[in-house]
Amino acid sequence: MTMSVDEQRLTEELDALAAISEVPAPAVTRVVFSDADLRARAYVKSLCAAAGLLVHEDPVGNTFARWIGSRPELPPAGTGSHIDAIPNGGRFDGTVGVLGGLEAIRALQRGGFHPRRSIDLVIFTSEEPTRFLIGCLGSRLLAGTLDETAGEELRGGLDGSSLNEVRARAGFRGPLASVRLAPGAYASFAELHIEQGPLLERHGNDIGVVTAIAAPASLRIFVEGEGGHAGAVLMPDRHDAFLAAAEIALAVESAARSSGSIDTVATAGVCDIFPGVVNSVPSRARLDLDVRDIDQARRDEVLRRIEQACDEVARRRGVRFRIEPINADPPAACAPEVIDAIVRACEARGLGYERMISRAYHDSLFMSRIAPTAMIFIPCRGGVSHRPDEYASPEAIANGTAVLADTLADLSA
Ligand code: GLV
Ligand code: MN
Ligand code: MN
């Protein structure tokens, strides 16, 4: 079968999707269930329908666009990613896997390929944790790794509304329990994504074949001190909640840096101070932390050291603290059969590839619980991601899309 990717059309579609944003270009912000997210969903669904795919959505808004195979009773081969984007993010994170996935299907259609298994393009809801604090919301529910009752109670509206209220307003109703898929619902899953790191570019390789996905954990730390007048409270008498939080943030950095491995990373991405005015000593502070490693035991050791640091800082500064775990997921190992299909595709096309781990998390982390899963990475300039200057060249995207198309052909045959 001769099969070629329409690089120009894919570039135009990525441009059109990037223009659907809550902020001016080049930044992209598309928070789940925002007006921009809903318009982006409508755009992608219209492209899927135009390609003859059968589109359906589940109660949390995961969207499935199916190319029906000659044996529709068999579990499909899956691909896909996400179209939500963090505030002030870039245009390629997630979208390459969605529009590249669609173009892979169209390329196979144009090449006259007829799949035996159906091929599903999945657009997952809220891969980013921006709104509900928990990443991969849609794929967690699909894999049954988020308790549905806890899911119903997640809060994420600016007005404090619940996931149930927010999704109902966006037009998605029905019990979250019905989102869960049975193990085996997919025969395989392959996700195309930008690397979000510098290695492919540095090594001059076209494709990263992902063999494992790092284990992310996130948590909130609430610190309660004592507020007061910024002029009147004497320095020795203070119990400043922000300064305690700042010391904890530094302890987070040092716990990650001294883990003994470059694979350990930890970030304090949010620090919220109350009352947050210049002439009042902060009485409350909140840190949101993200801790990751490819080795779960080493990551969990960092979590323990953070808790110890909280204890020590709280005692010394006379403040109280509370830790609220958000998630602590195990790493995923990718499936040899999907890895092998990707490697065969790279070799057949003469593309340079290397095996690598994913330090970022992806919906594949959860799809791997219910289906043999692997990922295809493409280089992005300078390894930059989660920033407006995130960039992947049309050629790199076309390479990844072609490898995905070959992989899907292989896995759906
Ligand atoms: C996904 O966006 C991540 O934070 O790894
Ligand atoms: Mn992201
Ligand atoms: Mn992503």
Side-chain angles (χ1 to χ4, degrees), residues 81-82 84 92-95 127-128 191 193 196 361-362 386:
S81 196
H82 62 101
D84 65 322
F92 299 101
D93 175 4
T95 56
E127 191 268 354
E128 302 292 3
E191 179 173 1
H193 206 282
Q196 303 180 289
Y361 59 70
H362 301 281
H386 281 187

Side-chain angles (χ1 to χ4, degrees), residues 305-325:
R305 290 190 49 199
I306 293 172
E307 192 167 348
Q308 278 167 6
C310 289
D311 264 332
E312 191 277 316
V313 170
R315 230 175 306 112
R316 186 161 38 76
R317 287 187 168 269
V319 300
R320 289 178 298 285
F321 76 94
R322 177 167 65 83
I323 297 182
E324 183 180 300

